[in-house]
Amino acid sequence: MDAEINIEDFHFQSHRKYMTPIYWKLRHAELLSDDEKLAVLRSSIRQFFVRIRLFINLSIEQVAERLKVTVQEIESFESGSLKSPEFERAYCDLCHAWFELEYFERRVREFQNPDIREKRNDLGFALLRSFGILMPDFKLQKPEAEPAKVLQIHRQDFVCIE
């Protein structure tokens, strides 16, 4: 059977999961040369805006009509030849992607400076130990920790009272 699923084509039900291929690409390009990193970053920015449009199933023509601009302007923006903060804001408004843009910007900062991730994890452990506060995107697993062994799982019987 020659069935192959391309993760970039799979339509997840959340912006965050739908954007995973972009975040994966950024994470795995951290060790490349500066020129290669710049190329990856530029393509990731382009893909971000294309994918937020595709996530809500809008065509380029529909976006152009709603933003009252030409199709060529939208195509130029999505190809990266036209840089426009106005289009970026309009895309986020139109596609309801402000939270995802904030997350994307955070991932870009981590891409540019990977030490941020380690510092965030250190801060996350300190907040959890001291105050019981759990930060967003914080992973409870330490990379050097040994995996836990499950000794016994007790089954609980639930009684439904009507």
Side-chain angles (χ1 to χ4, degrees), residues 22-61:
I22 297 172
Y23 304 141
W24 183 90
K25 188 185 337 180
L26 285 173
R27 180 77 163 99
H28 288 84
E30 289 176 356
L31 301 176
L32 297 176
S33 70
D34 289 342
D35 292 337
E36 292 171 320
K37 284 174 75 171
L38 185 59
V40 168
L41 182 59
R42 286 182 178 156
S43 74
S44 296
I45 293 169
R46 269 195 326 268
Q47 285 180 349
F48 176 81
F49 289 103
V50 171
R51 287 183 76 80
I52 63 171
R53 175 182 59 80
L54 293 175
F55 181 75
I56 60 171
N57 297 319
L58 286 177
S59 67
I60 291 177
E61 293 79 16

Side-chain angles (χ1 to χ4, degrees), residues 75-93:
E75 288 173 343
S76 296
F77 173 69
E78 288 190 359
S79 71
S81 60
L82 172 66
K83 295 178 182 169
S84 171
E86 294 82 22
F87 281 169
E88 291 175 9
R89 286 190 294 275
Y91 263 58
C92 288
D93 281 340

Side-chain angles (χ1 to χ4, degrees), residues 1 10 24 27 34 42 46 53 61-63 80 104 114 120-121 132 135 137 143 147 152 156-157:
M1 186 169 184
F10 194 77
W24 183 90
R27 180 77 163 99
D34 289 342
R42 286 182 178 156
R46 269 195 326 268
R53 175 182 59 80
E61 293 79 16
Q62 291 171 317
V63 172
F104 176 69
R120 186 185 70 224
N121 284 340
M135 287 178 46
D137 297 330
Q152 186 175 14
Q156 295 179 352
D157 293 328

Side-chain angles (χ1 to χ4, degrees), residues 3-22 47 50-57:
E4 181 177 304
I5 297 173
N6 186 355
I7 192 70
E8 293 184 11
D9 297 334
F10 194 77
H11 194 90
F12 290 98
Q13 296 301 311
S14 74
H15 269 126
R16 186 68 37 88
K17 285 184 179 178
Y18 191 63
M19 296 297 177
T20 300
I22 297 172
Q47 285 180 349
V50 171
R51 287 183 76 80
I52 63 171
R53 175 182 59 80
L54 293 175
F55 181 75
I56 60 171
N57 297 319

